[in-house]
Amino acid sequence: MVGLPETDGPRKIVADAWDYKGRPAARSQTGGWASAAMILGVELNERLTTLGIAVNLVTYLTGTMHLGNAEAANVVTNFMGTSFMLCLLGGFVADTFLGRYLTIAIFAAVQATGVTILTISTAAPGLRPPACGSTAACVRASGSQLGLLYLALYLTALGTGGLKSSVSGFGSDQFDESDRGEKKKMMRFFNWFFFFISLGSLLAVTVLVYVQDDLGRRWGYGACAVSIVAGLAVFLSGTRRYRFKKLVGSPLTQIAAVVMAAWRKRRLELPTDPALLYDVDVTPVAGGKQRLPHTKQFSFLDHAAINDNPTTNQSKWQLSTLTDVEEVKNVTRMLPIWATTIMFWTVYAQMTTFSVSQATTMNRYIGSSFQIPAGSLTVFFVGSILITVPIYDRIIIPIVRRLSGNPQGLTPLQRIGIGLILSCLAMAIAALTEIKRLHVASQAGLTTTNKDSTVPLSVFWLVPQFFLVGAGEAFTYIGQLDFFLRECPKGMKTMSTGLFLSTLSLGFFVSTALVSIIHNVTEKGGHGAWLADNLNNGKLYNFYWLLAILCLVNFAFYMVAARWYVYKDRRAVAADNSIAGLELTEAEACYHA
């Protein structure tokens, strides 16, 4: 690798970063806010596009493509679930093959292609069914029309997953953690990153949804395609200023290697002294890892560190270091928390599907002329987050500090728990609101009429459920992110975001499964479908009650998992005390001898 001229001096070189030509990165010529700003622009466009499609997609599927409410809801949740699940694939590709820069560039282009096809599918008359007439029945979209729509959606999801997996990491790469000044800037970068996510969300649920409903989908999606291409162009224009990091390999490969090596050696007897297990000799170990003390939990994985053939070199699939094994144990300990947070995102999914469907049936007028787009009700998500975060920082944290003495206020697990409770409450209120809506519809004689008839009830009755889920997101999202970033081993930091986003993905997929099961069972049960195409003839409130009960059961399991879990820093203190106690015992034995 070619070095920079000597006049740059060692202090001006970032130790672990390179420029676009493969030379050590000069601090004054690469990285910093100039580079980070270009990366933030890509994230803004990604959030604008993904959320702009998701929050209003159900109305397009039911109103234009003439799908039923249950099927339309599943299309939306599958799209969102796939977008987040593909973050794991994107992270693997970035860490193992392409690097974050190329991953962002390639997958942004893929997302732009998907949105372009989506724009074409909504603009060309032949790619959607004819509009419903006053007497003729609505014609469902054909297989080819839906096929093109799904192609567009899943290309967009693929682009979203690959892009989202690398944007935050590549942005933080532009700052040197070893430099105190740049480390402070990096912390501010994450604040601005969250701000741009919120800004993109706000623009999506207000301006973009309004354009889609009033000017046409082709204009809304066309604007998304143009913005993504513009964001990609800006991103590529910063190539000369970016700092690049070496590929470190995917943590998923490490997990698979440890499990495979442990399985191969499962019949070997573990040594009584953990010091006999294979480990590296230096601290910290290569790759930025930190050597971890041995723990007795999940001892089956210790078999991977048994060096049964010390005379030959063995691959990582045959022999793992004890440090690698302990890192995998750390991830394994986090799985109960990971599993019990999925239910929150199942509740969250309803806000982009059935809650939007409810809004389409209600009075959405402000005054006599302006009608709120149904998808814009999700603006209360953003509003509740913007209200909850400062209330937490300025009011809740000081109170908790005084009461508990904990300088950070609530712990990550406590924050997640509050979010789970708010999701239970949101579903109970959503059920009561739906009962109210059906009562008004019955009084107005709308239960058996056209499903497009407006129920004379203000759409603002839906605000509490949106607000509660949004406030729950503020607690759960930040709590999860803090938990996974803090508790993941240092050598697996790239996987922490993927673990977090996978809970969102699985939440949407669980929603899809529940909707399919409930719809099929209740439709054939003879007592009326809960999730009817005409909500005025359905029993959506029963579905909300079911979710509230499932949330409570899940919260009970979460409490067990949270009480069982021990934070990583506390485990380290316990290990140090154990070692100190062992040394004291040995010293006493020597003294008595």
Side-chain angles (χ1 to χ4, degrees):
M1 183 175 293
V2 181
L4 287 176
E6 294 182 1
T7 54
D8 285 321
R11 291 187 178 181
K12 296 184 179 180
I13 299 299
V14 182
D16 60 343
W18 286 262
D19 67 9
Y20 74 107
K21 287 187 175 181
R23 303 171 300 188
R27 190 181 302 278
S28 61
Q29 299 174 9
T30 62
W33 281 114
S35 300
M38 300 177 188
I39 299 169
L40 289 173
V42 175
E43 176 58 24
L44 172 67
N45 290 322
E46 179 278 319
R47 187 66 171 181
L48 173 71
T49 300
T50 305
L51 194 61
I53 293 172
V55 297
N56 210 25
L57 182 59
V58 71
T59 61
Y60 180 75
L61 294 172
T62 56
T64 302
M65 304 303 280
H66 306 148
L67 302 186
N69 278 318
E71 184 178 4
N74 283 349
V75 171
V76 176
T77 51
N78 285 338
F79 165 67
M80 291 297 289
T82 303
S83 297
F84 289 116
M85 185 59 73
L86 287 172
C87 290
L88 290 174
L89 173 64
F92 177 80
V93 170
D95 289 340
T96 309
F97 301 108
L98 298 179
R100 289 167 178 165
Y101 169 80
L102 282 178
T103 300
I104 293 172
I106 292 172
F107 283 94
V110 171
Q111 188 183 44
T113 302
V115 180
T116 301
I117 296 175
L118 183 62
T119 305
I120 295 172
S121 72
T122 58
L127 298 179
R128 59 182 189 272
C132 300
S134 56
T135 57
C138 297
V139 179
R140 174 189 163 89
S142 66
S144 59
Q145 291 169 338
L146 289 175
L148 184 65
L149 177 65
Y150 294 157
L151 173 64
L153 289 176
Y154 286 104
L155 274 176
T156 303
L158 176 61
T160 299
L163 194 158
K164 186 179 283 292
S165 67
S166 299
V167 168
S168 60
F170 191 58
S172 64
D173 287 346
Q174 306 312 307
F175 304 95
D176 182 11
E177 286 191 75
S178 63
D179 181 86
R180 182 177 300 177
E182 290 204 16
K183 187 174 183 178
K184 290 181 179 179
K185 292 179 181 179
M186 185 177 69
M187 298 306 297
R188 291 177 59 198
F189 166 79
F190 285 113
N191 292 335
W192 280 104
F193 184 76
F194 187 74
F195 172 80
F196 271 76
I197 288 177
S198 300
L199 179 60
S201 301
L202 186 62
L203 292 173
V205 302
T206 53
V207 177
L208 188 57
V209 170
Y210 180 81
V211 170
Q212 292 171 3
D213 282 5
D214 283 58
L215 299 181
R217 299 278 173 160
R218 62 185 183 276
W219 294 105
Y221 296 149
C224 288
V226 171
S227 67
I228 293 172
V229 172
L232 177 58
V234 172
F235 174 76
L236 294 176
S237 69
T239 301
R240 291 175 178 269
R241 284 204 54 89
Y242 293 142
R243 293 174 184 172
F244 301 86
K245 300 292 182 73
K246 282 187 176 181
L247 299 179
V248 296
S250 173
L252 296 176
T253 304
Q254 176 183 331
I255 294 173
V258 169
V259 173
M260 180 65 71
W263 177 256
R264 285 179 173 176
K265 301 176 183 179
R266 64 190 182 277
R267 292 187 175 87
L268 298 180
E269 185 177 354
L270 287 171
T272 55
D273 185 0
L276 297 177
L277 294 172
Y278 175 72
D279 205 355
V280 289
D281 297 326
V282 294
T283 305
V285 298
K289 295 186 179 183
Q290 183 177 4
R291 193 167 185 175
L292 301 175
H294 176 262
T295 58
K296 296 180 179 180
Q297 201 173 28
F298 308 119
S299 59
F300 168 77
L301 295 174
D302 290 341
H303 288 82
I306 298 176
N307 191 358
D308 59 337
N309 194 0
T311 59
T312 60
N313 291 327
Q314 300 183 63
S315 71
K316 61 183 178 182
W317 299 95
Q318 298 171 316
L319 177 64
S320 300
T321 67
L322 184 59
T323 296
D324 284 345
V325 171
E326 289 300 325
E327 288 184 342
V328 174
K329 286 183 181 182
N330 273 6
V331 174
T332 305
R333 292 185 187 98
M334 297 167 65
L335 292 182
I337 302 297
W338 170 85
T340 49
T341 54
I342 293 172
M343 195 63 204
F344 176 86
W345 301 106
T346 300
V347 170
Y348 177 94
Q350 311 317 311
M351 300 299 104
T352 59
T353 54
F354 289 114
S355 291
V356 175
S357 295
Q358 286 175 286
T360 61
T361 70
M362 301 169 74
N363 179 16
R364 292 180 278 120
Y365 278 96
I366 297 179
S368 58
S369 57
F370 181 73
Q371 187 179 39
I372 304 172
S376 290
L377 263 293
T378 49
V379 72
F380 291 102
F381 275 141
V382 182
S384 59
I385 291 172
L386 295 178
I387 292 173
T388 303
V389 170
I391 288 177
Y392 175 78
D393 287 337
R394 300 297 180 181
I395 299 176
I396 297 178
I397 286 183
I399 293 175
V400 174
R401 281 174 179 169
R402 286 195 296 267
L403 295 177
S404 66
N406 186 354
Q408 73 178 85
L410 298 175
T411 66
L413 294 181
Q414 288 171 338
R415 297 185 75 166
I416 294 171
I418 292 175
L420 294 179
I421 284 292
L422 289 175
S423 69
C424 298
L425 185 59
M427 286 297 94
I429 290 179
L432 294 174
T433 302
E434 176 62 6
I435 292 173
K436 170 71 175 177
R437 192 192 67 84
L438 288 178
H439 177 69
V440 174
S442 177
Q443 287 183 327
L446 300 177
T447 54
T448 58
T449 58
N450 191 305
K451 65 179 181 179
D452 296 326
S453 300
T454 300
V455 177
L457 181 67
S458 173
V459 75
F460 290 107
W461 277 83
L462 298 177
V463 169
Q465 64 201 61
F466 279 99
F467 193 87
L468 284 171
V469 175
E473 182 186 2
F475 281 99
T476 302
Y477 188 102
I478 299 175
Q480 279 186 283
L481 194 58
D482 189 7
F483 175 75
F484 285 111
L485 285 175
R486 176 191 299 185
E487 296 301 305
C488 252
K490 187 176 181 180
M492 291 186 170
K493 289 297 182 183
T494 54
M495 194 179 70
S496 60
T497 302
L499 272 175
F500 162 51
L501 293 176
S502 68
T503 64
L504 279 74
S505 172
L506 291 173
F508 283 102
F509 286 137
V510 169
S511 176
T512 297
L514 283 175
V515 168
S516 298
I517 294 171
I518 294 301
H519 183 62
N520 290 332
V521 170
T522 59
E523 190 177 38
K524 298 175 182 177
H527 299 288
W530 289 6
L531 310 175
D533 293 342
N534 183 351
L535 288 182
N536 295 336
N537 295 331
K539 298 177 181 178
L540 179 60
Y541 57 88
N542 280 341
F543 182 61
Y544 284 150
W545 283 127
L546 174 63
L547 287 175
I549 294 171
L550 291 177
C551 284
L552 285 173
V553 173
N554 177 76
F555 180 72
F557 282 107
Y558 173 80
M559 290 297 293
V560 174
R563 289 179 64 86
W564 171 81
Y565 188 82
V566 179
Y567 285 104
K568 184 169 65 176
D569 54 353
R570 295 180 184 176
R571 289 200 303 270
V573 171
D576 291 341
N577 291 338
S578 176
I579 293 173
L582 179 60
E583 291 174 346
L584 181 62
T585 301
E586 292 176 346
E588 290 176 344
C590 291
Y591 173 77
H592 289 298

